[in-house]
Each structure stands twice: as C-alpha cells, then as structure tokens.
C-alpha cells in the first residue's frame, strides 16, 4: 500500500478539499491509505475551547459553535444535497464533544486536551470520506483510535508497537482506499490520546511500518524539502534527495518539514518518504531514502526563534559536576523544557532551550538557591548543516553573537537581533 498524508493546509476549505480529489485522480488512489489532519487552524480553535472550559466557561458555547459552523459551511459548499447524511453526522460529532465537556469529571488538563482536540481529525476525515464517496471514489473510513494503541502519556503518547501492528494488519486489507486520522490514538482504556503536536506525519510512518508500505508521501504547499525556511532566508534550494541519516539530523535540529519521530520507523524498513506539492502533484519533490546525504550538496539552514539562553555557574567557583548537571536536566525534563545546545566550562554550564510552555519561572528560584543564574530571552538559534565560512557569515550579519558551537558537520550560533 501507499500512504498519503494531507495536513490542515491542504484541506482548509472546499477549494482545497476539491484539490485533494484532483491530486488523487492525478497520482492514483487504489491500494492506498489517506491520513488527514484537522482542517485549517481547527486544532488552535479547539485549544480555545479547552481554555474556555477551564478558565472562561461563559465563552465555551460560542467557541464550540464557531468551529461547528466552520465545518458546516465547508460541508454546505461541498454537498449539493442539503439533506445529505453528512450534515447530521457533523452535528452528532459536535454533540459528542459537548456531551464530554458537560460530563467530564477529570481536572487533568492534558487528558481533557486530548479528548477535545481529537475531534478535529475525526470531523475532518468524516467529511473527506463522505465527499469522496459522493464523487464516486469508494473508500473505507477507519478510526485511528481503534488501531494505534498507546500508553497514558496524554499529549505525547508512546506507541504500543506490538498491539498497534496487530490491529493494523488485522483490520486493513490491500486493494482498498482507506481514510483515517493523523495525530491520534487511544490508551488502554480507549480514551483518546495525541502523539505530539504535528504528529500526523508520525501517524503516517506508524501505518507505513505496520503495513510494510511501498512508500509514504507527505503533501504540502511547498515543492518539497528546502535547504532553508523561505520566511527567513532568500534564495532557497530544493533538496532532491536526502538520506535517512541526514533527514534525522535535520529533524533533530528543528527542520519543520518532517516531524522528528517520523523517520525512525521508515528507516528501519527502508520505506521511502516523498515530500511533494499538492499544488503541483506531478513534480518530483524530495525523496528521503538510502543513498547520498544530500543532492544537491548545499548548506542547510534551520532557525529557532524565541529561545532562552541560560548560563548556570557555581557560587563558590567549584566545578559543576555530573550529579549537578543530572539534577538540572531532570528539572528541565519535568518542566518540558527542551535543550537544543549545551556548552560547559569548569565552573559554568550554558544551554539554549525552548521553553514553549513558559515553565522556566517554575524552576529558576530552585536553581538560584544553588547556582548563579543569568539568561537572555527571545534569542534565535541558527543551525547550519554542512556549513562553510560564507554560510556562517550569512546568519550573523547585523546580529550579536552570544554563543557559537562547531563540529565537523554542523555549526550552531545563538544570536540577539
């Protein structure tokens, strides 16, 4: 089977959904599995629902109504028959969401989050399935929560590979077109879980691994994987081929086109990954597979904004030892603070971290009891793979360099604008 993944941007409105139909007719859809995300910015809107549920209950009803109307407007445009079953189906799904919020007893934010945001994928794939059937593209809708089994780590669930592989191989058959959801699965009690933000790519890899798929194609609004984010860099270059190893390195450093967890299961079975344009589906795009690291051989630029550069030093000029470093990293892990660069000297320890949940304040006082703490907020971390002097100079121009770290293949530079 081939696995196709369509993200939120590719199904954000009726025109985009009709374009997905065009893509499938262009590249073929027999013996395929489609994995889709929530439509457009639905996940963000569902996060607003969760925020209203916990903090602003008077806004909850309107927050749900906004998302429901958005989907019903799309359905109204796609289906000429206004008595089509899909209208009732969408209403029923949003009724289930409201029922959960009215009857939930758990105060656990992460648990509630996963139960709520999963409806974005469920509603989106339901609409897609009905629309494709309406356009004479016969398909089978399947609930990913019945297939992908995980632990109870809500918002970042760990896959039970044995149970998942058994479910997928038993329930999916060749020669059919299936539509299912990215990003979601279920725990041992069959409560919804999510696989981490942008986890739909990971879902595609999970299904591909379990199905021994021919390939995975991620359809995007870009021609493939570029050597830099065009929002921050000019004269970007399309990468025709990337090795698994190089793609994993790029993902580790924060390249946003491929989810970090997506590549490992594909590499284990040498399943090629294609990143292609849903705007121009006949273009070759980028292939991730065995072979040369990069084609063409160019420098690759990755930038992470809004980072925190933190320096920790001993108060008595003693060495910072392994046990102290271990304690610091344990605090980071507990507060979900991701470390992107580490640099240490005899009496100081510097890290550039991503504090996306704003948890540093929770541990700064604790750290200050034992160490001197200095930090810079809102810094940028530039990573250049296969760098040279020209590419390094390119990122530091008109910026203040706060930290630089170099190895054979990679340079990382922390800057302040």
């Amino acid at each position: 089977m081939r696995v196709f993944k369509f993200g939120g941007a590719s199904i954000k409105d009726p025109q985009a959904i009709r374009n997905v139909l065009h893509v499938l007719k262009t590249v073929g859809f027999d013996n395929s599995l489609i994995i889709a995300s929530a439509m457009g910015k639905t996940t963000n809107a569902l996060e607003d629902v969760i925020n209203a549920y916990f903090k602003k209950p008077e806004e909850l009803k309107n927050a749900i109504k906004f998302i429901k109307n958005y989907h019903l407007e799309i359905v109204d445009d796609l289906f000429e028959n206004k008595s089509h079953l899909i209208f009732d189906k969408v209403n029923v799904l949003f009724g289930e969401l409201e029922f959960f919020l009215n009857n939930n007893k758990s105060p656990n934010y992460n648990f509630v989050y996963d139960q709520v945001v999963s409806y974005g994928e469920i509603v989106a794939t339901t609409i897609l399935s009905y629309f494709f059937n309406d356009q004479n593209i016969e398909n089978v809708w399947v609930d990913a929560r019945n297939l992908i089994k995980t632990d109870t780590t809500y918002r970042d669930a760990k896959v039970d590979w044995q149970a998942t592989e058994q479910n997928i191989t038993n329930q999916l058959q060749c020669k059919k077109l299936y539509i299912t959801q990215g990003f979601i699965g279920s725990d041992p009690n069959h409560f919804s879980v999510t696989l981490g933000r942008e986890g739909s790519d990971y879902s595609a890899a999970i299904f591909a691994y379990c199905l021994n798929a021919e390939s995975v194609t991620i359809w995007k609004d870009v021609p493939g994987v570029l050597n830099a984010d065009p929002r921050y860099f000019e004269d970007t270059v399309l990468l025709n081929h990337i090795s698994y190893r190089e793609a994993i390195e790029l993902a580790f450093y924060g390249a946003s086109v491929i989810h970090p967890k997506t590549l490992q299961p594909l590499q284990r079975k040498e399943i090629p990954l294609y990143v292609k344009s849903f705007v121009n589906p006949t273009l070759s795009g980028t292939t991730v597979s065995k072979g040369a690291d990069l084609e063409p051989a160019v420098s690759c630029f990755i930038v992470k904004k809004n980072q925190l550069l933190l320096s920790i030093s001993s108060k008595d000029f003693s060495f910072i030892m392994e046990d102290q470093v271990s304690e610091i990293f344990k605090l980071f892990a507990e507060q979900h603070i991701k470390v992107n660069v580490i640099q240490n000297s005899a009496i100081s320890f510097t890290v550039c971290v991503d504090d996306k949940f704003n948890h540093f304040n929770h541990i700064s006082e604790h750290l200050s009891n034992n160490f001197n703490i200095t930090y810079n907020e809102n810094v940028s971390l530039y990573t250049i793979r296969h760098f040279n002097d020209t590419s390094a100079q390119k990122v530091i121009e008109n910026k203040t360099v706060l930290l630089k770290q170099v190895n054979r293949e990679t340079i990382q530079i922390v800057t302040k604008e």
Side-chain angles (χ1 to χ4, degrees):
M1 295 184 76
R2 293 180 299 168
V3 176
F4 295 150
K5 181 261 177 174
F6 290 93
S10 64
I11 53 172
K12 64 183 179 180
D13 56 34
Q15 181 180 353
I17 292 170
R18 291 188 177 96
N19 183 66
V20 170
L21 194 67
H22 166 70
V23 170
L24 295 177
K25 288 180 177 178
T26 301
V27 302
F29 50 83
D30 290 335
N31 196 26
S32 299
L33 170 68
I34 294 173
I35 292 171
S37 302
M39 292 179 170
K41 300 295 184 182
T42 297
T43 300
N44 292 340
L46 286 165
E47 288 173 346
D48 292 339
V49 168
I50 299 162
N51 185 60
Y53 174 76
F54 280 104
K55 298 178 180 178
K56 301 175 182 177
E58 70 279 2
E59 297 179 8
L60 180 59
K61 187 175 181 179
N62 284 337
I64 296 172
K65 185 178 180 181
F66 172 79
I67 305 171
K68 180 180 176 180
N69 287 344
Y70 164 68
H71 286 87
L72 286 173
E73 287 172 7
I74 290 175
V75 169
D76 188 63
D77 189 294
L78 291 174
F79 295 85
E80 292 184 7
N81 179 6
K82 303 312 175 188
S83 61
H84 196 288
L85 182 61
I86 185 61
F87 290 90
D88 289 336
K89 188 67 177 177
V90 170
N91 281 313
V92 166
L93 289 171
F94 279 97
E96 291 176 6
L97 172 59
E98 292 182 88
F99 180 84
F100 166 77
L101 292 171
N102 289 333
N103 292 276
N104 172 61
K105 299 295 189 294
S106 173
N108 184 331
Y109 178 91
N110 291 335
F111 170 78
V112 174
Y113 182 98
D114 280 4
Q115 309 320 300
V116 172
V117 299
S118 59
Y119 276 92
E121 276 71 19
I122 295 296
V123 175
T125 53
T126 299
I127 294 171
L128 284 178
S129 178
Y130 274 92
F131 177 65
F132 290 165
N133 278 324
D134 201 53
Q135 298 298 312
N136 298 314
I137 295 183
E138 186 177 341
N139 68 87
V140 179
W141 182 93
V142 289
D143 191 334
R145 296 172 298 184
N146 293 332
L147 302 175
I148 296 179
K149 304 305 292 186
T150 73
D151 65 4
T152 57
T153 309
Y154 300 109
R155 298 187 70 185
D156 194 18
K158 306 299 184 292
V159 174
D160 179 338
W161 283 94
Q162 183 176 354
T164 297
E165 187 166 13
Q166 183 176 351
N167 290 339
I168 290 173
T169 55
N170 286 345
Q171 296 183 46
L172 300 189
Q173 305 167 10
C174 292
K175 308 303 180 185
K176 291 186 178 182
L177 172 64
Y178 290 93
I179 296 179
T180 193
Q181 307 79 39
F183 187 43
I184 66 174
S186 68
D187 69 10
N189 295 312
H190 207 66
F191 287 112
S192 299
V193 299
T194 61
L195 304 175
R197 196 65 189 268
E198 309 299 333
S200 291
D201 291 0
Y202 185 37
S203 295
I206 293 168
F207 277 98
Y209 178 91
C210 296
L211 291 166
N212 292 308
E214 174 188 311
S215 63
V216 174
T217 304
I218 297 175
W219 295 97
K220 288 188 160 290
D221 57 357
V222 293
V225 180
L226 305 176
N227 74 321
D229 189 331
R231 294 175 298 175
Y232 305 117
F233 296 92
E234 298 177 353
D235 305 320
T236 57
V237 176
L238 175 67
L239 302 176
N240 301 317
H241 179 269
I242 313 173
S243 68
Y244 291 118
R245 176 184 174 278
E246 184 63 30
I248 289 170
E249 291 282 359
L250 291 170
F252 171 79
Y253 287 115
S256 60
V257 174
I258 304 170
H259 191 278
K261 293 184 290 189
T262 299
L263 297 159
Q264 284 90 346
L266 298 180
Q267 187 274 334
R268 286 202 295 271
K269 291 193 175 179
E270 297 185 0
I271 298 169
L273 169 68
Y274 303 110
V275 181
K276 302 184 71 171
S277 167
F278 59 70
V279 179
N280 295 295
T282 58
L283 297 179
S284 57
T286 299
T287 302
V288 181
S289 64
K290 290 179 66 177
D293 277 353
L294 284 176
E295 160 43 44
V298 294
S299 296
C300 295
F301 300 83
I302 302 158
V303 59
K304 288 187 172 184
K305 300 285 188 178
N306 303 315
Q307 302 289 290
L308 175 69
L309 184 64
L310 174 65
S311 293
I312 303 169
S313 59
S314 57
K315 291 186 173 181
D316 59 359
F317 293 96
S318 61
F319 291 164
I320 294 183
M321 304 303 289
E322 288 82 356
D323 59 337
Q324 294 169 308
V325 173
S326 176
E327 178 189 350
I328 293 167
F329 270 87
K330 182 181 178 183
L331 288 172
F332 289 156
E334 289 172 349
Q335 298 299 323
H336 303 286
I337 296 173
K338 185 178 185 302
V339 178
N340 294 315
V341 178
I342 307 168
Q343 194 173 88
N344 66 294
S345 67
I347 61 171
S348 69
F349 177 76
T350 299
V351 287
C352 183
V353 303
D354 191 348
D355 183 26
K356 64 180 179 180
F357 298 114
N358 297 315
H359 285 173
F360 173 64
N361 289 336
H362 298 172
I363 64 172
S364 59
E365 184 176 346
H366 177 80
L367 289 171
S368 297
N369 291 333
N370 301 310
F371 304 100
N372 293 318
I373 307 294
T374 58
Y375 58 89
N376 299 86
E377 297 179 294
N378 298 319
V379 300
S380 297
L381 169 61
Y382 291 89
T383 301
I384 311 174
R385 290 280 295 165
H386 312 291
F387 70 96
N388 53 38
D389 291 341
T390 301
S391 60
Q393 188 62 36
K394 183 177 180 179
V395 303
I396 65 174
E397 192 171 346
N398 300 320
K399 301 181 184 73
T400 301
V401 176
L402 302 177
L403 179 147
K404 182 188 293 186
Q405 188 157 281
V406 184
N407 64 31
R408 290 190 184 94
E409 297 276 358
T410 306
I411 185 171
Q412 292 188 283
I413 305 170
V414 179
T415 69
K416 190 77 174 176
E417 302 294 334

